[in-house]
Each structure stands twice: as structure tokens, then as C-alpha cells.
Amino acid sequence: MSSAAESMDERIEAAMVPGGTTVASAPYPWPFDGDLGPHNTALIVIDMQTDFCGRGGYVDSMGYDISLTRAPIEPISRLLGAFRARAYPIIHTREGHKPDLSDLPANKRWRSQRIGAGIGDQGPQGRILVRGEPGWEIIPELAPIAGEAIIDKPGKGSFCATDLELILRLKGIRNIVLTGITTDVCVHTTMREANDRGFECLLLEDCCGATKHENHLAAVDMVKMQGGVFGAVGTSVQLIEVLP
């Protein structure tokens, strides 16, 4: 074994917490070092907005079955209760654009218009994916409470053009639990961004959903490749039963 590999192994062993806590996730028990608690772990609830899982919203206007994007609501609600009871940091995200659409790329708007749900256009829930409109709001069932951060983002990833990383670093967060919609787009993009920044990520498959179930399954499987290329995959039940 090379000296570099030995040094890495020594750092990992030094980080291990004696008698630590892990989730029975795949492809490895998460977090890798067993250090799990409100001091270093945050829950991120991604884009649980009317535009993505409500009647008359963006996804509904595109003709997709919103029962698939609504499926995570109940598991996320239970998870929020468990995290709030233990005083874990919780962060919500909302995708949307400024009312003047100055942060909306032309190609993104053009693609949405081609499928009959133009971003910025008037819809049953107000202007589609525009900040301040009814469709842009987080659904009442999962509404943030006082003290929970809300990240407004113009794109798929939660780190792009936001202060999410700054908030996480200031709170001393190293572990991120990812939930929300859609598994294959905004959740997956955020997980990849977080992984590249050194965060230890857990995707809860029952707390996510996609506009096609096949896409959800594929996105979950991708995380588990190569020994957990972006982190690990578990369920809310597995996490809640061990949550310190």
C-alpha cells in the first residue's frame, strides 16, 4: 500500500466515532464514520412546491401524473417531525425565477413553452415557476416553520447561485439527508453538487419522487454504483429508527 493510501486510511480511522450511529443504507452504512447528530447533520427538503406536486402547477400543466410527485409527502412529513423533535437543522428549497425573468435562461423558457407550460406564463396557479406566485409556494403539508432556512434557487441544483453552502458551513454541517422532488433532476443534481463539495450524502428513496417511476428507480440505482459514487441510499424508516 502506498504512503498516500495509508495516510487516507489513518484519517478515516481517526474520524470514526466509537459506538457511533449508522443507518442500514446501501451500498454502505451511512454516515461512513458513524458520526451522526444535530451538530453535523441537516435535512434538505427540495422543491416540495405546488408547481411540482399540486393541481394546476408546472408539472400538472405538462401532463404528468402528480400522484408520483405527491407520493413523498407523507414520509417527508413524518421525517420532519422526527428531525424537529430532535432539533436538527432543516433546510427547504424552492425553484423559481424573478418576476422580470432576468434570471431565466432563454433556452429553459423555450423548452418549457414547447410542452405547453411556459415558465413565466400565466397558469392556474399564477405565473409558472415565478417567485411569489401561488404555484411557487411550498405545499401547506410541508410548510417550513420558524427557524428553518429557505433557499430560493433559479435552477435545478440547490448550490448554484445560492448561499446554501455558506449556511451549511456556518452551521458545521457535514452530513446531508436529501428528500424532495424530483429524484432524477433537482434532488440528484443537488446530491452530486454536495458530493463534490465533500458532504456525506444520504438519499431517502421513499421521500423522493419523479415524474416517471422508471426515472426514480434509475436515479436511485445510480447513487449506489461504484461503492456509493454520490453517497448512500436508505429509507425514512431506517433513518428514524436510529436517529440520535
Side-chain angles (χ1 to χ4, degrees), residues 37-38 41 43 74-90 142 145 148 177 204 207 235-244:
T41 303
L43 170 64
E74 186 176 342
I76 293 175
S77 179
R78 291 196 300 268
L79 189 67
L80 279 170
F83 268 68
R84 286 166 176 164
R86 295 164 175 81
Y88 277 75
I90 296 169
L142 303 177
I145 63 174
E148 296 176 354
V177 177
L204 297 183
C207 292
T235 67
S236 60
V237 173
Q238 290 172 327
L239 175 57
I240 291 172
E241 68 183 7
V242 301
L243 199 63

Side-chain angles (χ1 to χ4, degrees), residues 132-145:
E133 298 289 333
W136 165 82
E137 295 288 358
I138 294 169
I139 59 173
E141 299 96 314
L142 303 177
I145 63 174

